[in-house]
Amino acid sequence: MLIAQLTDTHIRPEGALAYGRVDTARHMEAAVSHILALDPRPDVVVVTGDLTDLDLPQEYARFRALAARLPMPVLPIPGNHDSSAGLLAAFPEVAARAGGPRAHQVVDAFDLSLVMLDSSVPGAAHGALGADGLAFLEAALERGRDRPALVLLHHPPFTTGIAHMDAQNLRDGAALEAILRRHPQVVGLACGHVHRAITTTFAGIAATIAPAPAHVVSLDLSPDGPATFHMEPPALALHLWTGDRLVSHVSQIAAYPGPFPFFDEAGRAIVSAA
Ligand SMILES: [Fe+2]
């Protein structure tokens, strides 16, 4: 099973740029084309929040129009730039699956169970699962004890060393950790929010932040680093579930030279003529 994780697309209405500078729709278009060109093609695309920049209906509509070329299921959860209500209004199928005011969902259609949590907090940049999110997770993992699961949410529950982002990460990470430790079927935790490829461990399992298809938060590990972004190579995460482990790749959204062979037709390693 192959999962493409697209995150932090920050779509703006037609004619508008994110932060007055980034044509995020063009970047998402490139990301969609990249996913379509992958062989094998991902079974599903998960979108871990900040679909929109300002939670506007026109931004969700534009996101949906850009994602419409994808033939596989596209499964979104909100980030701090979205809202539960905004996302659920724009995605009736998500609202039907969530069945409540927040967008917590379990998708059991694949070999790996996808437990998608809504960590958005109205009007705030930081995240929280809250009592409802934690109860949803606990119940989902109790029901699915015999099925390997990937847990997804926008806000990382761990610090990254990028101070201005760490100030707005998940506030109830300790409660999340306690639940994950009681459920060893969870094989990974996948987040967004920081727009950079980051890996660590959390509750004893691999925890990743997927890179973004457009602007990235600047890599500044000084304690008083300013809130800035860079335009680095756009990318998304590809998570391969092998049946016994989750292997996470970064897939660059660009055309690079290659592929070039290592071996000639006779099977000998290609060596330059000195
Ligand atoms: Fe974001």
Side-chain angles (χ1 to χ4, degrees), residues 8-10 19 49-50 80-81 154 165 193-195 215:
D8 295 271
T9 49
H10 286 258
Y19 306 102
D50 288 0
N80 51 296
H81 284 255
H154 180 71
M165 294 304 291
H193 195 48
V194 191
H195 298 219
H215 52 299

Short mmCIF file of all heavy atoms in Angstrom, two decimals, residues 8-10 19 49-50 80-81 154 165 193-195 215, ligand 1:
data_model
loop_
_atom_site.label_atom_id
_atom_site.label_comp_id
_atom_site.label_asym_id
_atom_site.label_seq_id
_atom_site.Cartn_x
_atom_site.Cartn_y
_atom_site.Cartn_z
N ASP A 8 -0.13 21.21 3.64
CA ASP A 8 0.13 22.66 3.67
C ASP A 8 0.16 23.28 2.27
O ASP A 8 1.11 23.98 1.91
CB ASP A 8 1.43 22.92 4.45
CG ASP A 8 1.29 22.54 5.91
OD1 ASP A 8 0.88 23.37 6.72
OD2 ASP A 8 1.56 21.35 6.25
N THR A 9 -0.92 23.05 1.53
CA THR A 9 -1.01 23.60 0.17
C THR A 9 -1.34 25.09 0.19
O THR A 9 -1.04 25.80 -0.77
CB THR A 9 -2.06 22.83 -0.64
OG1 THR A 9 -3.26 22.73 0.13
CG2 THR A 9 -1.57 21.43 -0.98
N HIS A 10 -1.98 25.57 1.27
CA HIS A 10 -2.25 27.02 1.45
C HIS A 10 -2.85 27.68 0.21
O HIS A 10 -2.37 28.75 -0.22
CB HIS A 10 -0.98 27.76 1.88
CG HIS A 10 -0.57 27.49 3.31
ND1 HIS A 10 -0.81 28.39 4.32
CD2 HIS A 10 0.01 26.41 3.88
CE1 HIS A 10 -0.36 27.88 5.46
NE2 HIS A 10 0.14 26.67 5.23
N TYR A 19 0.91 35.11 1.22
CA TYR A 19 1.89 36.06 1.75
C TYR A 19 2.33 37.06 0.67
O TYR A 19 3.45 37.59 0.71
CB TYR A 19 3.10 35.32 2.37
CG TYR A 19 2.64 34.33 3.40
CD1 TYR A 19 2.57 32.97 3.11
CD2 TYR A 19 2.20 34.75 4.66
CE1 TYR A 19 2.10 32.06 4.04
CE2 TYR A 19 1.72 33.85 5.60
CZ TYR A 19 1.68 32.51 5.28
OH TYR A 19 1.20 31.62 6.19
N GLY A 49 -3.71 19.01 6.41
CA GLY A 49 -4.03 20.33 6.93
C GLY A 49 -3.42 21.51 6.19
O GLY A 49 -2.51 21.39 5.39
N ASP A 50 -3.98 22.69 6.49
CA ASP A 50 -3.65 23.92 5.77
C ASP A 50 -3.86 23.72 4.26
O ASP A 50 -3.03 24.11 3.44
CB ASP A 50 -2.23 24.42 6.09
CG ASP A 50 -2.13 25.00 7.50
OD1 ASP A 50 -3.15 25.00 8.22
OD2 ASP A 50 -1.04 25.44 7.88
N ASN A 80 -4.30 24.69 11.07
CA ASN A 80 -4.67 25.92 11.75
C ASN A 80 -5.12 27.02 10.79
O ASN A 80 -5.82 27.94 11.19
CB ASN A 80 -3.50 26.43 12.61
CG ASN A 80 -2.20 26.52 11.86
OD1 ASN A 80 -1.67 25.51 11.40
ND2 ASN A 80 -1.68 27.73 11.71
N HIS A 81 -4.73 26.93 9.51
CA HIS A 81 -5.22 27.91 8.55
C HIS A 81 -6.62 27.58 8.05
O HIS A 81 -7.27 28.42 7.44
CB HIS A 81 -4.25 28.03 7.36
CG HIS A 81 -3.01 28.81 7.69
ND1 HIS A 81 -2.80 30.10 7.26
CD2 HIS A 81 -1.94 28.49 8.44
CE1 HIS A 81 -1.63 30.53 7.71
NE2 HIS A 81 -1.08 29.56 8.43
N HIS A 154 -2.47 17.40 11.88
CA HIS A 154 -1.71 18.54 11.35
C HIS A 154 -0.56 18.94 12.27
O HIS A 154 0.59 19.06 11.85
CB HIS A 154 -2.65 19.73 11.15
CG HIS A 154 -1.95 20.94 10.61
ND1 HIS A 154 -1.47 21.01 9.31
CD2 HIS A 154 -1.62 22.14 11.18
CE1 HIS A 154 -0.88 22.19 9.12
NE2 HIS A 154 -0.96 22.88 10.23
N MET A 165 7.67 27.83 15.48
CA MET A 165 6.72 26.77 15.15
C MET A 165 6.43 25.91 16.39
O MET A 165 5.29 25.48 16.61
CB MET A 165 7.24 25.88 14.02
CG MET A 165 7.37 26.60 12.69
SD MET A 165 5.84 27.39 12.10
CE MET A 165 4.81 25.98 11.71
N HIS A 193 2.28 21.01 9.10
CA HIS A 193 2.44 22.24 9.88
C HIS A 193 3.77 22.94 9.71
O HIS A 193 3.82 24.16 9.68
CB HIS A 193 2.19 21.96 11.37
CG HIS A 193 1.97 23.17 12.22
ND1 HIS A 193 1.10 24.18 11.88
CD2 HIS A 193 2.52 23.55 13.42
CE1 HIS A 193 1.10 25.11 12.83
NE2 HIS A 193 1.96 24.76 13.76
N VAL A 194 4.89 22.21 9.64
CA VAL A 194 6.19 22.87 9.62
C VAL A 194 6.73 22.99 8.17
O VAL A 194 7.75 23.64 7.94
CB VAL A 194 7.19 22.16 10.55
CG1 VAL A 194 8.46 22.98 10.75
CG2 VAL A 194 6.56 21.93 11.93
N HIS A 195 6.05 22.38 7.23
CA HIS A 195 6.41 22.51 5.81
C HIS A 195 7.81 21.97 5.51
O HIS A 195 8.44 22.38 4.54
CB HIS A 195 6.35 23.96 5.33
CG HIS A 195 5.01 24.61 5.39
ND1 HIS A 195 4.54 25.47 4.40
CD2 HIS A 195 4.01 24.57 6.32
CE1 HIS A 195 3.34 25.91 4.73
NE2 HIS A 195 2.99 25.38 5.89
N HIS A 215 5.99 26.90 -0.25
CA HIS A 215 6.95 27.54 0.65
C HIS A 215 7.24 26.65 1.86
O HIS A 215 6.39 25.90 2.31
CB HIS A 215 6.40 28.90 1.11
CG HIS A 215 5.01 28.84 1.67
ND1 HIS A 215 3.92 28.42 0.94
CD2 HIS A 215 4.55 29.15 2.91
CE1 HIS A 215 2.84 28.48 1.70
NE2 HIS A 215 3.19 28.91 2.89
FE FE B 1 0.96 25.44 6.92
#
